[in-house]
């Protein structure tokens, strides 16, 4: 398992970290661009909506033919509906990140509570 703690200025490093571990984990070149978009969206949300003074953490590992990416921040939320299931409105300028992540991952799970928020994405490799 690879792990990286990050904050907003570290997002370029997050993308490099994710790309390196995705390629090592068997991600195809064809799937890499969508993978990086999803990872970037979730990581950006973690450092812009999570706890304002804490770093977020990304973990990447492989289970069989699946690459798993977990992003954890210390923020807490209670969404009324499952996040990312509703497409953004036409001409929306925000609110697309979790929808995009849901569209390009093979599965995405959300867990929030006293320990913060965990978003876990799964990608077939």
């Amino acid at each position: 398992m690879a792990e990286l703690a990050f904050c907003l200025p570290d997002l370029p490093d997050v993308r490099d970290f994710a790309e390196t571990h995705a390629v090592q984990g068997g991600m195809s070149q064809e799937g890499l661009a969508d993978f990086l978009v999803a990872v970037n969206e979730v990581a950006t949300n973690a450092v812009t909506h999570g706890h304002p003074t804490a770093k977020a953490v990304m973990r990447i590992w492989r289970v069989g033919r699946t690459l798993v990416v977990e992003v954890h921040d210390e923020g807490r939320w209670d969404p009324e509906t499952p996040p990312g299931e509703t497409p953004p409105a036409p001409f929306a300028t925000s609110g697309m990140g979790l929808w995009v992540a849901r569209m390009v991952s093979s599965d995405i799970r959300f867990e929030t509570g006293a320990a913060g928020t965990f978003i876990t994405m799964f990608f077939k490799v």
Side-chain angles (χ1 to χ4, degrees), residues 30-67:
E30 297 80 28
L32 192 57
D34 284 347
F35 168 80
L36 290 173
V37 167
V39 166
N40 185 68
E41 291 295 335
V42 172
T44 300
N45 281 353
V47 293
T48 56
H49 301 297
H51 191 278
T53 60
K55 287 192 171 197
V57 176
M58 178 178 288
R59 294 179 184 92
I60 301 177
W61 67 96
R62 185 171 163 169
V63 177
R65 297 185 43 90
T66 302
L67 194 64

PDB file of all heavy atoms in Angstrom, residues 30-67:
ATOM      1  N   GLU A  30      -4.735   3.834 -21.735  1.00  0.00           N
ATOM      2  CA  GLU A  30      -6.068   4.289 -22.135  1.00  0.00           C
ATOM      3  C   GLU A  30      -6.915   4.687 -20.931  1.00  0.00           C
ATOM      4  O   GLU A  30      -7.739   5.587 -21.023  1.00  0.00           O
ATOM      5  CB  GLU A  30      -6.800   3.202 -22.938  1.00  0.00           C
ATOM      6  CG  GLU A  30      -6.139   2.837 -24.247  1.00  0.00           C
ATOM      7  CD  GLU A  30      -4.957   1.887 -24.088  1.00  0.00           C
ATOM      8  OE1 GLU A  30      -4.916   1.082 -23.128  1.00  0.00           O
ATOM      9  OE2 GLU A  30      -4.044   1.969 -24.921  1.00  0.00           O
ATOM     10  N   GLY A  31      -6.747   4.002 -19.821  1.00  0.00           N
ATOM     11  CA  GLY A  31      -7.543   4.290 -18.634  1.00  0.00           C
ATOM     12  C   GLY A  31      -6.952   5.346 -17.727  1.00  0.00           C
ATOM     13  O   GLY A  31      -7.624   5.854 -16.832  1.00  0.00           O
ATOM     14  N   LEU A  32      -5.691   5.695 -17.973  1.00  0.00           N
ATOM     15  CA  LEU A  32      -4.974   6.581 -17.055  1.00  0.00           C
ATOM     16  C   LEU A  32      -5.569   7.979 -16.978  1.00  0.00           C
ATOM     17  O   LEU A  32      -5.686   8.540 -15.887  1.00  0.00           O
ATOM     18  CB  LEU A  32      -3.498   6.641 -17.451  1.00  0.00           C
ATOM     19  CG  LEU A  32      -2.551   7.278 -16.456  1.00  0.00           C
ATOM     20  CD1 LEU A  32      -2.618   6.583 -15.105  1.00  0.00           C
ATOM     21  CD2 LEU A  32      -1.122   7.237 -16.995  1.00  0.00           C
ATOM     22  N   ALA A  33      -5.963   8.565 -18.094  1.00  0.00           N
ATOM     23  CA  ALA A  33      -6.486   9.937 -18.080  1.00  0.00           C
ATOM     24  C   ALA A  33      -7.759  10.031 -17.236  1.00  0.00           C
ATOM     25  O   ALA A  33      -7.872  10.923 -16.383  1.00  0.00           O
ATOM     26  CB  ALA A  33      -6.734  10.424 -19.502  1.00  0.00           C
ATOM     27  N   ASP A  34      -8.711   9.123 -17.448  1.00  0.00           N
ATOM     28  CA  ASP A  34      -9.941   9.138 -16.653  1.00  0.00           C
ATOM     29  C   ASP A  34      -9.641   8.888 -15.179  1.00  0.00           C
ATOM     30  O   ASP A  34     -10.226   9.529 -14.297  1.00  0.00           O
ATOM     31  CB  ASP A  34     -10.928   8.087 -17.155  1.00  0.00           C
ATOM     32  CG  ASP A  34     -11.636   8.496 -18.433  1.00  0.00           C
ATOM     33  OD1 ASP A  34     -11.567   9.688 -18.825  1.00  0.00           O
ATOM     34  OD2 ASP A  34     -12.269   7.616 -19.056  1.00  0.00           O
ATOM     35  N   PHE A  35      -8.744   7.963 -14.903  1.00  0.00           N
ATOM     36  CA  PHE A  35      -8.329   7.670 -13.528  1.00  0.00           C
ATOM     37  C   PHE A  35      -7.818   8.944 -12.853  1.00  0.00           C
ATOM     38  O   PHE A  35      -8.226   9.271 -11.738  1.00  0.00           O
ATOM     39  CB  PHE A  35      -7.235   6.589 -13.543  1.00  0.00           C
ATOM     40  CG  PHE A  35      -6.542   6.401 -12.232  1.00  0.00           C
ATOM     41  CD1 PHE A  35      -7.122   5.644 -11.226  1.00  0.00           C
ATOM     42  CD2 PHE A  35      -5.305   6.978 -11.993  1.00  0.00           C
ATOM     43  CE1 PHE A  35      -6.480   5.458 -10.010  1.00  0.00           C
ATOM     44  CE2 PHE A  35      -4.649   6.810 -10.788  1.00  0.00           C
ATOM     45  CZ  PHE A  35      -5.248   6.046  -9.787  1.00  0.00           C
ATOM     46  N   LEU A  36      -6.936   9.677 -13.541  1.00  0.00           N
ATOM     47  CA  LEU A  36      -6.348  10.882 -12.947  1.00  0.00           C
ATOM     48  C   LEU A  36      -7.382  11.981 -12.745  1.00  0.00           C
ATOM     49  O   LEU A  36      -7.305  12.726 -11.769  1.00  0.00           O
ATOM     50  CB  LEU A  36      -5.174  11.378 -13.786  1.00  0.00           C
ATOM     51  CG  LEU A  36      -3.943  10.480 -13.732  1.00  0.00           C
ATOM     52  CD1 LEU A  36      -2.881  10.949 -14.722  1.00  0.00           C
ATOM     53  CD2 LEU A  36      -3.372  10.410 -12.318  1.00  0.00           C
ATOM     54  N   VAL A  37      -8.361  12.073 -13.635  1.00  0.00           N
ATOM     55  CA  VAL A  37      -9.432  13.056 -13.446  1.00  0.00           C
ATOM     56  C   VAL A  37     -10.203  12.726 -12.167  1.00  0.00           C
ATOM     57  O   VAL A  37     -10.454  13.603 -11.334  1.00  0.00           O
ATOM     58  CB  VAL A  37     -10.377  13.096 -14.670  1.00  0.00           C
ATOM     59  CG1 VAL A  37     -11.658  13.863 -14.350  1.00  0.00           C
ATOM     60  CG2 VAL A  37      -9.670  13.724 -15.863  1.00  0.00           C
ATOM     61  N   ALA A  38     -10.581  11.469 -11.988  1.00  0.00           N
ATOM     62  CA  ALA A  38     -11.336  11.067 -10.797  1.00  0.00           C
ATOM     63  C   ALA A  38     -10.539  11.312  -9.526  1.00  0.00           C
ATOM     64  O   ALA A  38     -11.053  11.887  -8.556  1.00  0.00           O
ATOM     65  CB  ALA A  38     -11.730   9.592 -10.899  1.00  0.00           C
ATOM     66  N   VAL A  39      -9.280  10.903  -9.524  1.00  0.00           N
ATOM     67  CA  VAL A  39      -8.429  11.078  -8.348  1.00  0.00           C
ATOM     68  C   VAL A  39      -8.264  12.561  -8.030  1.00  0.00           C
ATOM     69  O   VAL A  39      -8.365  12.979  -6.873  1.00  0.00           O
ATOM     70  CB  VAL A  39      -7.064  10.393  -8.571  1.00  0.00           C
ATOM     71  CG1 VAL A  39      -6.047  10.831  -7.542  1.00  0.00           C
ATOM     72  CG2 VAL A  39      -7.235   8.880  -8.547  1.00  0.00           C
ATOM     73  N   ASN A  40      -8.026  13.372  -9.045  1.00  0.00           N
ATOM     74  CA  ASN A  40      -7.844  14.800  -8.832  1.00  0.00           C
ATOM     75  C   ASN A  40      -9.114  15.442  -8.263  1.00  0.00           C
ATOM     76  O   ASN A  40      -9.035  16.267  -7.350  1.00  0.00           O
ATOM     77  CB  ASN A  40      -7.444  15.486 -10.139  1.00  0.00           C
ATOM     78  CG  ASN A  40      -7.131  16.943  -9.925  1.00  0.00           C
ATOM     79  OD1 ASN A  40      -6.150  17.296  -9.285  1.00  0.00           O
ATOM     80  ND2 ASN A  40      -7.980  17.815 -10.465  1.00  0.00           N
ATOM     81  N   GLU A  41     -10.268  15.065  -8.778  1.00  0.00           N
ATOM     82  CA  GLU A  41     -11.528  15.636  -8.288  1.00  0.00           C
ATOM     83  C   GLU A  41     -11.755  15.303  -6.816  1.00  0.00           C
ATOM     84  O   GLU A  41     -12.104  16.168  -6.016  1.00  0.00           O
ATOM     85  CB  GLU A  41     -12.704  15.142  -9.135  1.00  0.00           C
ATOM     86  CG  GLU A  41     -12.728  15.675 -10.536  1.00  0.00           C
ATOM     87  CD  GLU A  41     -12.934  17.183 -10.626  1.00  0.00           C
ATOM     88  OE1 GLU A  41     -13.519  17.783  -9.696  1.00  0.00           O
ATOM     89  OE2 GLU A  41     -12.499  17.764 -11.627  1.00  0.00           O
ATOM     90  N   VAL A  42     -11.555  14.049  -6.452  1.00  0.00           N
ATOM     91  CA  VAL A  42     -11.780  13.638  -5.063  1.00  0.00           C
ATOM     92  C   VAL A  42     -10.731  14.256  -4.135  1.00  0.00           C
ATOM     93  O   VAL A  42     -11.063  14.731  -3.046  1.00  0.00           O
ATOM     94  CB  VAL A  42     -11.823  12.099  -4.957  1.00  0.00           C
ATOM     95  CG1 VAL A  42     -11.847  11.648  -3.509  1.00  0.00           C
ATOM     96  CG2 VAL A  42     -13.048  11.567  -5.703  1.00  0.00           C
ATOM     97  N   ALA A  43      -9.477  14.289  -4.562  1.00  0.00           N
ATOM     98  CA  ALA A  43      -8.421  14.899  -3.746  1.00  0.00           C
ATOM     99  C   ALA A  43      -8.677  16.397  -3.560  1.00  0.00           C
ATOM    100  O   ALA A  43      -8.502  16.934  -2.459  1.00  0.00           O
ATOM    101  CB  ALA A  43      -7.059  14.662  -4.390  1.00  0.00           C
ATOM    102  N   THR A  44      -9.094  17.063  -4.623  1.00  0.00           N
ATOM    103  CA  THR A  44      -9.393  18.497  -4.525  1.00  0.00           C
ATOM    104  C   THR A  44     -10.531  18.739  -3.548  1.00  0.00           C
ATOM    105  O   THR A  44     -10.461  19.653  -2.713  1.00  0.00           O
ATOM    106  CB  THR A  44      -9.733  19.068  -5.916  1.00  0.00           C
ATOM    107  OG1 THR A  44      -8.607  18.876  -6.774  1.00  0.00           O
ATOM    108  CG2 THR A  44     -10.058  20.547  -5.836  1.00  0.00           C
ATOM    109  N   ASN A  45     -11.589  17.926  -3.629  1.00  0.00           N
ATOM    110  CA  ASN A  45     -12.689  18.058  -2.676  1.00  0.00           C
ATOM    111  C   ASN A  45     -12.206  17.872  -1.247  1.00  0.00           C
ATOM    112  O   ASN A  45     -12.639  18.588  -0.344  1.00  0.00           O
ATOM    113  CB  ASN A  45     -13.781  17.027  -2.964  1.00  0.00           C
ATOM    114  CG  ASN A  45     -14.671  17.423  -4.109  1.00  0.00           C
ATOM    115  OD1 ASN A  45     -14.596  18.526  -4.640  1.00  0.00           O
ATOM    116  ND2 ASN A  45     -15.524  16.504  -4.524  1.00  0.00           N
ATOM    117  N   ALA A  46     -11.318  16.914  -1.038  1.00  0.00           N
ATOM    118  CA  ALA A  46     -10.842  16.619   0.320  1.00  0.00           C
ATOM    119  C   ALA A  46     -10.144  17.821   0.939  1.00  0.00           C
ATOM    120  O   ALA A  46     -10.314  18.094   2.130  1.00  0.00           O
ATOM    121  CB  ALA A  46      -9.908  15.414   0.303  1.00  0.00           C
ATOM    122  N   VAL A  47      -9.360  18.550   0.153  1.00  0.00           N
ATOM    123  CA  VAL A  47      -8.596  19.667   0.726  1.00  0.00           C
ATOM    124  C   VAL A  47      -9.337  20.999   0.635  1.00  0.00           C
ATOM    125  O   VAL A  47      -8.905  21.972   1.254  1.00  0.00           O
ATOM    126  CB  VAL A  47      -7.177  19.778   0.117  1.00  0.00           C
ATOM    127  CG1 VAL A  47      -6.337  18.577   0.516  1.00  0.00           C
ATOM    128  CG2 VAL A  47      -7.218  19.944  -1.386  1.00  0.00           C
ATOM    129  N   THR A  48     -10.435  21.048  -0.092  1.00  0.00           N
ATOM    130  CA  THR A  48     -11.210  22.295  -0.123  1.00  0.00           C
ATOM    131  C   THR A  48     -12.453  22.220   0.759  1.00  0.00           C
ATOM    132  O   THR A  48     -12.920  23.250   1.240  1.00  0.00           O
ATOM    133  CB  THR A  48     -11.625  22.683  -1.561  1.00  0.00           C
ATOM    134  OG1 THR A  48     -12.343  21.623  -2.157  1.00  0.00           O
ATOM    135  CG2 THR A  48     -10.407  23.024  -2.394  1.00  0.00           C
ATOM    136  N   HIS A  49     -12.990  21.014   0.991  1.00  0.00           N
ATOM    137  CA  HIS A  49     -14.195  20.869   1.811  1.00  0.00           C
ATOM    138  C   HIS A  49     -13.953  20.121   3.117  1.00  0.00           C
ATOM    139  O   HIS A  49     -14.841  20.088   3.962  1.00  0.00           O
ATOM    140  CB  HIS A  49     -15.293  20.135   1.027  1.00  0.00           C
ATOM    141  CG  HIS A  49     -15.675  20.819  -0.235  1.00  0.00           C
ATOM    142  ND1 HIS A  49     -16.242  22.071  -0.266  1.00  0.00           N
ATOM    143  CD2 HIS A  49     -15.549  20.440  -1.526  1.00  0.00           C
ATOM    144  CE1 HIS A  49     -16.460  22.427  -1.528  1.00  0.00           C
ATOM    145  NE2 HIS A  49     -16.046  21.453  -2.309  1.00  0.00           N
ATOM    146  N   GLY A  50     -12.804  19.492   3.268  1.00  0.00           N
ATOM    147  CA  GLY A  50     -12.488  18.761   4.496  1.00  0.00           C
ATOM    148  C   GLY A  50     -12.107  19.728   5.610  1.00  0.00           C
ATOM    149  O   GLY A  50     -12.310  20.937   5.504  1.00  0.00           O
ATOM    150  N   HIS A  51     -11.537  19.231   6.660  1.00  0.00           N
ATOM    151  CA  HIS A  51     -11.103  20.050   7.788  1.00  0.00           C
ATOM    152  C   HIS A  51     -10.096  21.088   7.297  1.00  0.00           C
ATOM    153  O   HIS A  51      -9.131  20.749   6.616  1.00  0.00           O
ATOM    154  CB  HIS A  51     -10.471  19.151   8.856  1.00  0.00           C
ATOM    155  CG  HIS A  51     -10.241  19.847  10.146  1.00  0.00           C
ATOM    156  ND1 HIS A  51      -9.147  20.629  10.368  1.00  0.00           N
ATOM    157  CD2 HIS A  51     -10.984  19.893  11.279  1.00  0.00           C
ATOM    158  CE1 HIS A  51      -9.205  21.133  11.586  1.00  0.00           C
ATOM    159  NE2 HIS A  51     -10.313  20.693  12.150  1.00  0.00           N
ATOM    160  N   PRO A  52     -10.283  22.361   7.639  1.00  0.00           N
ATOM    161  CA  PRO A  52      -9.460  23.425   7.050  1.00  0.00           C
ATOM    162  C   PRO A  52      -7.980  23.426   7.457  1.00  0.00           C
ATOM    163  O   PRO A  52      -7.159  23.995   6.744  1.00  0.00           O
ATOM    164  CB  PRO A  52     -10.145  24.712   7.525  1.00  0.00           C
ATOM    165  CG  PRO A  52     -10.937  24.322   8.724  1.00  0.00           C
ATOM    166  CD  PRO A  52     -11.319  22.880   8.532  1.00  0.00           C
ATOM    167  N   THR A  53      -7.636  22.805   8.576  1.00  0.00           N
ATOM    168  CA  THR A  53      -6.236  22.858   9.006  1.00  0.00           C
ATOM    169  C   THR A  53      -5.529  21.510   8.963  1.00  0.00           C
ATOM    170  O   THR A  53      -4.356  21.425   9.307  1.00  0.00           O
ATOM    171  CB  THR A  53      -6.129  23.421  10.442  1.00  0.00           C
ATOM    172  OG1 THR A  53      -6.869  22.566  11.325  1.00  0.00           O
ATOM    173  CG2 THR A  53      -6.666  24.839  10.505  1.00  0.00           C
ATOM    174  N   ALA A  54      -6.236  20.468   8.562  1.00  0.00           N
ATOM    175  CA  ALA A  54      -5.638  19.131   8.538  1.00  0.00           C
ATOM    176  C   ALA A  54      -5.313  18.719   7.113  1.00  0.00           C
ATOM    177  O   ALA A  54      -5.949  19.158   6.161  1.00  0.00           O
ATOM    178  CB  ALA A  54      -6.590  18.118   9.169  1.00  0.00           C
ATOM    179  N   LYS A  55      -4.320  17.863   6.980  1.00  0.00           N
ATOM    180  CA  LYS A  55      -3.995  17.305   5.675  1.00  0.00           C
ATOM    181  C   LYS A  55      -4.933  16.144   5.370  1.00  0.00           C
ATOM    182  O   LYS A  55      -5.424  15.475   6.272  1.00  0.00           O
ATOM    183  CB  LYS A  55      -2.554  16.813   5.634  1.00  0.00           C
ATOM    184  CG  LYS A  55      -1.541  17.929   5.587  1.00  0.00           C
ATOM    185  CD  LYS A  55      -0.174  17.394   5.258  1.00  0.00           C
ATOM    186  CE  LYS A  55       0.771  18.559   5.005  1.00  0.00           C
ATOM    187  NZ  LYS A  55       1.967  18.136   4.303  1.00  0.00           N
ATOM    188  N   ALA A  56      -5.145  15.917   4.091  1.00  0.00           N
ATOM    189  CA  ALA A  56      -5.877  14.736   3.648  1.00  0.00           C
ATOM    190  C   ALA A  56      -4.847  13.632   3.394  1.00  0.00           C
ATOM    191  O   ALA A  56      -3.651  13.904   3.283  1.00  0.00           O
ATOM    192  CB  ALA A  56      -6.665  15.043   2.382  1.00  0.00           C
ATOM    193  N   VAL A  57      -5.310  12.406   3.272  1.00  0.00           N
ATOM    194  CA  VAL A  57      -4.422  11.273   3.030  1.00  0.00           C
ATOM    195  C   VAL A  57      -4.990  10.452   1.877  1.00  0.00           C
ATOM    196  O   VAL A  57      -6.187  10.161   1.845  1.00  0.00           O
ATOM    197  CB  VAL A  57      -4.293  10.376   4.284  1.00  0.00           C
ATOM    198  CG1 VAL A  57      -3.450   9.135   3.990  1.00  0.00           C
ATOM    199  CG2 VAL A  57      -3.693  11.172   5.437  1.00  0.00           C
ATOM    200  N   MET A  58      -4.105  10.083   0.942  1.00  0.00           N
ATOM    201  CA  MET A  58      -4.477   9.190  -0.153  1.00  0.00           C
ATOM    202  C   MET A  58      -3.717   7.893   0.020  1.00  0.00           C
ATOM    203  O   MET A  58      -2.516   7.902   0.288  1.00  0.00           O
ATOM    204  CB  MET A  58      -4.134   9.802  -1.511  1.00  0.00           C
ATOM    205  CG  MET A  58      -4.454   8.870  -2.683  1.00  0.00           C
ATOM    206  SD  MET A  58      -4.108   9.622  -4.280  1.00  0.00           S
ATOM    207  CE  MET A  58      -5.441  10.809  -4.328  1.00  0.00           C
ATOM    208  N   ARG A  59      -4.450   6.789  -0.125  1.00  0.00           N
ATOM    209  CA  ARG A  59      -3.844   5.456  -0.092  1.00  0.00           C
ATOM    210  C   ARG A  59      -4.216   4.752  -1.392  1.00  0.00           C
ATOM    211  O   ARG A  59      -5.360   4.842  -1.842  1.00  0.00           O
ATOM    212  CB  ARG A  59      -4.356   4.651   1.094  1.00  0.00           C
ATOM    213  CG  ARG A  59      -3.929   5.210   2.424  1.00  0.00           C
ATOM    214  CD  ARG A  59      -4.499   4.386   3.580  1.00  0.00           C
ATOM    215  NE  ARG A  59      -4.160   4.991   4.843  1.00  0.00           N
ATOM    216  CZ  ARG A  59      -4.920   5.873   5.492  1.00  0.00           C
ATOM    217  NH1 ARG A  59      -6.083   6.235   4.999  1.00  0.00           N
ATOM    218  NH2 ARG A  59      -4.538   6.383   6.636  1.00  0.00           N
ATOM    219  N   ILE A  60      -3.247   4.035  -1.964  1.00  0.00           N
ATOM    220  CA  ILE A  60      -3.489   3.285  -3.194  1.00  0.00           C
ATOM    221  C   ILE A  60      -2.951   1.872  -3.012  1.00  0.00           C
ATOM    222  O   ILE A  60      -1.830   1.695  -2.538  1.00  0.00           O
ATOM    223  CB  ILE A  60      -2.794   3.950  -4.408  1.00  0.00           C
ATOM    224  CG1 ILE A  60      -3.313   5.381  -4.601  1.00  0.00           C
ATOM    225  CG2 ILE A  60      -3.001   3.126  -5.676  1.00  0.00           C
ATOM    226  CD1 ILE A  60      -2.639   6.135  -5.736  1.00  0.00           C
ATOM    227  N   TRP A  61      -3.749   0.889  -3.386  1.00  0.00           N
ATOM    228  CA  TRP A  61      -3.297  -0.494  -3.357  1.00  0.00           C
ATOM    229  C   TRP A  61      -4.057  -1.281  -4.419  1.00  0.00           C
ATOM    230  O   TRP A  61      -5.039  -0.810  -4.974  1.00  0.00           O
ATOM    231  CB  TRP A  61      -3.450  -1.094  -1.969  1.00  0.00           C
ATOM    232  CG  TRP A  61      -4.847  -1.278  -1.474  1.00  0.00           C
ATOM    233  CD1 TRP A  61      -5.599  -2.416  -1.542  1.00  0.00           C
ATOM    234  CD2 TRP A  61      -5.681  -0.316  -0.810  1.00  0.00           C
ATOM    235  NE1 TRP A  61      -6.833  -2.219  -0.964  1.00  0.00           N
ATOM    236  CE2 TRP A  61      -6.914  -0.942  -0.514  1.00  0.00           C
ATOM    237  CE3 TRP A  61      -5.503   1.019  -0.436  1.00  0.00           C
ATOM    238  CZ2 TRP A  61      -7.950  -0.278   0.135  1.00  0.00           C
ATOM    239  CZ3 TRP A  61      -6.548   1.672   0.194  1.00  0.00           C
ATOM    240  CH2 TRP A  61      -7.733   1.030   0.476  1.00  0.00           C
ATOM    241  N   ARG A  62      -3.595  -2.469  -4.661  1.00  0.00           N
ATOM    242  CA  ARG A  62      -4.219  -3.325  -5.657  1.00  0.00           C
ATOM    243  C   ARG A  62      -4.766  -4.574  -4.987  1.00  0.00           C
ATOM    244  O   ARG A  62      -4.109  -5.173  -4.140  1.00  0.00           O
ATOM    245  CB  ARG A  62      -3.195  -3.705  -6.733  1.00  0.00           C
ATOM    246  CG  ARG A  62      -3.825  -4.498  -7.856  1.00  0.00           C
ATOM    247  CD  ARG A  62      -2.879  -4.670  -8.994  1.00  0.00           C
ATOM    248  NE  ARG A  62      -3.368  -5.765  -9.844  1.00  0.00           N
ATOM    249  CZ  ARG A  62      -2.892  -6.043 -11.017  1.00  0.00           C
ATOM    250  NH1 ARG A  62      -1.898  -5.335 -11.505  1.00  0.00           N
ATOM    251  NH2 ARG A  62      -3.385  -7.024 -11.712  1.00  0.00           N
ATOM    252  N   VAL A  63      -5.974  -4.959  -5.390  1.00  0.00           N
ATOM    253  CA  VAL A  63      -6.606  -6.195  -4.942  1.00  0.00           C
ATOM    254  C   VAL A  63      -6.993  -6.947  -6.207  1.00  0.00           C
ATOM    255  O   VAL A  63      -7.904  -6.528  -6.923  1.00  0.00           O
ATOM    256  CB  VAL A  63      -7.843  -5.925  -4.066  1.00  0.00           C
ATOM    257  CG1 VAL A  63      -8.517  -7.236  -3.681  1.00  0.00           C
ATOM    258  CG2 VAL A  63      -7.492  -5.103  -2.842  1.00  0.00           C
ATOM    259  N   GLY A  64      -6.284  -8.019  -6.497  1.00  0.00           N
ATOM    260  CA  GLY A  64      -6.549  -8.760  -7.729  1.00  0.00           C
ATOM    261  C   GLY A  64      -6.363  -7.865  -8.943  1.00  0.00           C
ATOM    262  O   GLY A  64      -5.320  -7.252  -9.114  1.00  0.00           O
ATOM    263  N   ARG A  65      -7.413  -7.735  -9.746  1.00  0.00           N
ATOM    264  CA  ARG A  65      -7.351  -6.904 -10.955  1.00  0.00           C
ATOM    265  C   ARG A  65      -8.004  -5.536 -10.744  1.00  0.00           C
ATOM    266  O   ARG A  65      -8.474  -4.907 -11.676  1.00  0.00           O
ATOM    267  CB  ARG A  65      -8.003  -7.633 -12.123  1.00  0.00           C
ATOM    268  CG  ARG A  65      -7.255  -8.929 -12.481  1.00  0.00           C
ATOM    269  CD  ARG A  65      -7.808  -9.609 -13.710  1.00  0.00           C
ATOM    270  NE  ARG A  65      -8.116  -8.717 -14.810  1.00  0.00           N
ATOM    271  CZ  ARG A  65      -7.249  -8.367 -15.777  1.00  0.00           C
ATOM    272  NH1 ARG A  65      -6.031  -8.839 -15.761  1.00  0.00           N
ATOM    273  NH2 ARG A  65      -7.625  -7.557 -16.754  1.00  0.00           N
ATOM    274  N   THR A  66      -8.029  -5.101  -9.484  1.00  0.00           N
ATOM    275  CA  THR A  66      -8.654  -3.821  -9.140  1.00  0.00           C
ATOM    276  C   THR A  66      -7.658  -2.931  -8.404  1.00  0.00           C
ATOM    277  O   THR A  66      -7.017  -3.367  -7.451  1.00  0.00           O
ATOM    278  CB  THR A  66      -9.897  -4.042  -8.258  1.00  0.00           C
ATOM    279  OG1 THR A  66     -10.819  -4.882  -8.975  1.00  0.00           O
ATOM    280  CG2 THR A  66     -10.569  -2.741  -7.898  1.00  0.00           C
ATOM    281  N   LEU A  67      -7.557  -1.695  -8.859  1.00  0.00           N
ATOM    282  CA  LEU A  67      -6.761  -0.684  -8.177  1.00  0.00           C
ATOM    283  C   LEU A  67      -7.714   0.079  -7.264  1.00  0.00           C
ATOM    284  O   LEU A  67      -8.779   0.540  -7.707  1.00  0.00           O
ATOM    285  CB  LEU A  67      -6.125   0.256  -9.204  1.00  0.00           C
ATOM    286  CG  LEU A  67      -5.018   1.158  -8.702  1.00  0.00           C
ATOM    287  CD1 LEU A  67      -3.825   0.335  -8.237  1.00  0.00           C
ATOM    288  CD2 LEU A  67      -4.587   2.106  -9.817  1.00  0.00           C
TER     289      LEU A  67
END
